[in-house]
Amino acid sequence: MAAALSDPAAVAEGQEPLLSPGGEEDSSRGVVESQEHYKSRWRSIWIMHLTMFLSSVGFSIVVMSVWPYLQKIDSTADASFLGWIIASYSIGQMVASPLFGLWSNYRPRREPLVVSTVISVAANCLYAYVHVPHSHNKYYMLIARALVGFGAGNVAVVRSYIAGATSLTERTSAMANTSACQAVGFILGPVFQTCFTLIGEEGVTWELVRLQLNMYTAPVLFGALLGVINIILIFAVFREHRVDDMGRQCRSINFEGEESGVLDQDAEGNIDQVAVVAVNFLFFVILFVFAVFETIATPLTMDMYSWTRKEAVLYNGIILGVVGVESVVVFMVVKTLSKKTGERAILHGGLLIVLVGFFILLPWGKKLPNIQWQEIKNNSIPRTTFSEMFMPFWSLQAMQLPSNHTAEPTGCPVSQSWCLNTPMIYLAQYISSDILIGLGYPVCNVMSYTLYSKILGPKPQGVYMGWLTASGSGARILGPVFVSQIYTHLGPRWAFSLICGPFQSIEDWHILH
């Protein structure tokens, strides 16, 4: 049942206040929330859920196709630059989150929401045209993704609004629903991308505006359309609401029409800064390991299983779609489970599951991945080291040209010297790791946000949520850059081992504290 409070607008107009949606009055306070106010408040919260959903779609709708599209438009781009492409989204988000959060503390939240969404729409349109320039295409893609990330800085506004528009008893559920909407966005993004693979790599071209509509550009144009719809709904449905921890209505500068510029001083209170820093650091680690996983998925599967660009986008889209469904179920279960065991215990369990997921992903066995025949045909084998001169004969056989090769080279490129001596990661390992990470990550995500909002209390949370989002964005910057560099030069064994070590230290620290 929603927290009870009186509706000043209804009283001023002479309307009879209604009981709260549960139909009962809160006798401890003797006040009620009108049905109209309750519906308006939750309609606005659901618009924020939609905004969160669209923000995650803007990221995930191209994450499986960035690498093959980058290879198609700019032959000079390598896997190392892929890390910068993925990280550029988070760089933009990290810069924008505190700015939008501060903006939302002192102005109506509609302003930063609309401005940020317009930026995302424009950036998606730019991404659809990165093939047009005759050179430096990879840098145009980098700029487009950075601007999409800048627009996604509105998640700080979203979470601060939800924290301020819900009572303490409503907040865990509302935060879980927000994270669930974010997870649904991560699910449907790859699903949309998978559907658009039916258009093919060539697709159709609209010569008048030099627009190529194919499996790489159609998803971002669809994302731009969703952004326009979101802007319309923000203007038509969204309203400012703020309540305290008990559910009583508060007023602040965010309310349209109020010009006093004075925040509710009753909402100000002391905040445990040590706890704030600790949660920011923990959230950074959680997002770092997940960013590593989502960045490496497409290159890893193309190298290990000899998938073509189209197959990698299609199959990874299906796998991540299934994992996303799993994550949504986890979000729903966490809301109930946290009431019985507490947020801290659930967070600990989520960290342990993610650690096991990365441990499983380590290469085992003796079978080597197939080597790209075209690299050998073009005499692009790197200088052979002394140890590689004595490779077993069966390893060298993997480098022979297949008789049924296609125009597109598949397999592990010999330019990555580790392909010649690192065992492949079996598909069963990859899928098992997907399942475990898909189980542990949503648990860690929602518990971090819930604990953080409760630490902050009723104080306007725009800036603090901005810093938390910036922490996650920083992780999404360093994660892709880290894994793309380590994976390209040293291979998956080093990349995933370096993840397991520090993550185990975080897990030990969490147990001790």
Side-chain angles (χ1 to χ4, degrees):
M1 183 174 66
L5 62 140
S6 59
D7 185 358
V11 174
E13 295 174 5
Q15 300 175 6
E16 181 180 356
L18 301 176
L19 292 179
S20 59
E24 298 178 359
E25 183 175 351
D26 188 339
S27 58
S28 65
R29 293 195 304 272
V31 291
V32 294
E33 179 181 31
S34 74
Q35 190 79 10
E36 180 182 357
H37 183 275
Y38 175 84
K39 289 181 178 180
S40 176
R41 181 163 65 93
W42 280 97
R43 277 197 301 265
S44 299
I45 290 174
W46 280 105
I47 292 298
M48 295 298 93
H49 289 162
L50 174 64
T51 303
M52 180 66 77
F53 164 79
L54 295 179
S55 176
S56 60
V57 166
F59 175 81
S60 65
I61 202 168
V62 299
V63 72
M64 291 295 102
S65 64
V66 167
W67 176 234
Y69 189 34
L70 184 61
Q71 290 179 309
K72 181 181 176 66
I73 65 171
D74 196 328
S75 59
T76 65
D78 57 14
S80 297
F81 195 81
L82 171 67
W84 290 108
I85 293 286
I86 302 296
S88 64
Y89 176 96
S90 299
I91 293 174
Q93 190 178 53
M94 183 178 68
V95 171
S97 295
L99 298 178
F100 287 138
L102 182 63
W103 189 351
S104 71
N105 270 4
Y106 296 98
R107 294 290 301 169
R109 291 184 176 93
R110 180 180 286 125
E111 294 177 6
L113 288 171
V114 170
V115 169
S116 60
T117 308
V118 168
I119 293 173
S120 293
V121 170
N124 279 325
C125 293
L126 173 62
Y127 186 91
Y129 280 94
V130 296
H131 65 278
V132 173
H134 298 294
S135 62
H136 306 300
N137 304 75
K138 62 183 181 182
Y139 297 110
Y140 290 103
M141 181 183 285
L142 184 76
I143 294 171
R145 292 303 294 168
L147 288 175
V148 172
F150 192 89
N154 60 16
V155 299
V157 182
V158 170
R159 291 196 182 273
S160 67
Y161 177 81
I162 293 174
T166 54
S167 66
L168 195 61
T169 57
E170 297 171 324
R171 197 164 300 154
T172 299
S173 178
M175 284 295 182
N177 288 339
T178 305
S179 296
C181 289
Q182 188 178 35
V184 171
F186 282 119
I187 294 172
L188 294 185
V191 170
F192 291 148
Q193 174 70 79
T194 302
C195 293
F196 285 120
T197 58
L198 299 175
I199 302 176
E201 283 194 295
E202 300 303 323
V204 295
T205 302
W206 189 3
E207 294 291 352
L208 182 62
V209 292
R210 303 186 67 183
L211 175 64
Q212 289 184 3
L213 191 65
N214 54 36
M215 60 182 283
Y216 304 122
T217 61
V220 293
L221 294 175
F222 179 69
L225 175 62
L226 293 178
V228 172
I229 294 173
N230 190 30
I231 292 172
I232 294 173
L233 290 175
I234 290 173
F235 277 112
V237 180
F238 178 77
R239 298 292 182 270
E240 294 285 352
H241 293 284
R242 183 177 166 212
V243 298
D244 63 15
D245 283 349
M246 301 301 294
R248 294 168 297 201
Q249 185 177 358
C250 304
R251 293 183 66 82
S252 72
I253 187 105
N254 298 117
F255 284 87
E256 300 169 24
E258 184 175 4
E259 301 179 355
S260 65
V262 180
L263 297 175
D264 183 4
Q265 297 301 318
D266 293 336
E268 301 291 339
N270 295 325
I271 295 177
D272 187 345
Q273 298 296 337
V274 175
V276 167
V277 173
V279 174
N280 272 275
F281 177 71
L282 183 61
F283 191 67
F284 173 89
V285 173
I286 293 168
L287 267 292
F288 182 89
V289 297
F290 187 74
V292 166
F293 174 74
E294 64 188 3
T295 300
I296 207 61
T298 300
L300 178 69
T301 53
M302 291 177 69
D303 291 346
M304 294 294 157
Y305 315 125
S306 300
W307 289 351
T308 63
R309 292 191 295 263
K310 187 172 181 179
E311 288 172 340
V313 173
L314 175 63
Y315 299 153
N316 278 301
I318 294 173
I319 292 172
L320 292 185
V322 173
V323 171
V325 172
E326 172 197 17
S327 298
V328 172
V329 174
V330 172
F331 281 126
M332 297 298 101
V333 172
V334 161
K335 292 194 297 183
T336 303
L337 193 60
S338 64
K339 298 177 182 178
K340 299 180 180 179
T341 62
E343 289 91 351
R344 186 182 179 86
I346 295 178
L347 179 59
H348 170 66
L351 292 170
L352 182 61
I353 291 172
V354 173
L355 174 62
V356 173
F358 271 97
F359 182 78
I360 289 177
L361 206 54
L362 292 172
W364 305 103
K366 296 182 179 180
K367 184 179 180 181
L368 298 181
N370 294 329
I371 305 299
Q372 277 188 17
W373 66 269
Q374 192 173 40
E375 294 285 355
I376 301 172
K377 181 178 179 181
N378 293 337
N379 298 319
S380 59
I381 300 179
R383 183 172 57 87
T384 304
T385 63
F386 180 82
S387 61
E388 290 168 349
M389 293 175 61
F390 298 94
M391 287 174 57
F393 176 74
W394 57 267
S395 297
L396 294 174
Q397 281 185 316
M399 298 169 57
Q400 302 305 311
L401 304 182
S403 58
N404 59 341
H405 65 265
T406 61
E408 179 184 341
T410 60
C412 200
V414 75
S415 58
Q416 297 176 166
S417 58
W418 58 263
C419 293
L420 304 177
N421 49 40
T422 300
M424 72 177 294
I425 297 172
Y426 293 98
L427 185 60
Q429 287 179 260
Y430 177 67
I431 293 177
S432 298
S433 178
D434 282 354
I435 293 172
L436 289 174
I437 294 174
L439 176 63
Y441 169 73
V443 171
C444 297
N445 182 284
V446 69
M447 288 300 101
S448 297
Y449 273 116
T450 301
L451 289 171
Y452 195 65
S453 64
K454 289 184 176 181
I455 290 171
L456 297 179
K459 178 184 178 67
Q461 300 182 5
V463 174
Y464 281 95
M465 283 295 178
W467 287 121
L468 187 66
T469 303
S471 298
S473 299
R476 287 184 178 274
I477 294 169
L478 297 180
V481 173
F482 163 83
V483 73
S484 62
Q485 296 291 332
I486 299 298
Y487 178 84
T488 300
H489 299 292
L490 299 177
R493 176 172 286 165
W494 274 96
F496 301 138
S497 295
L498 291 174
I499 288 294
C500 289
F503 201 75
Q504 178 62 52
S505 300
I506 295 299
E507 175 70 7
D508 294 340
W509 177 85
H510 182 72
I511 293 173
L512 293 175
H513 293 79

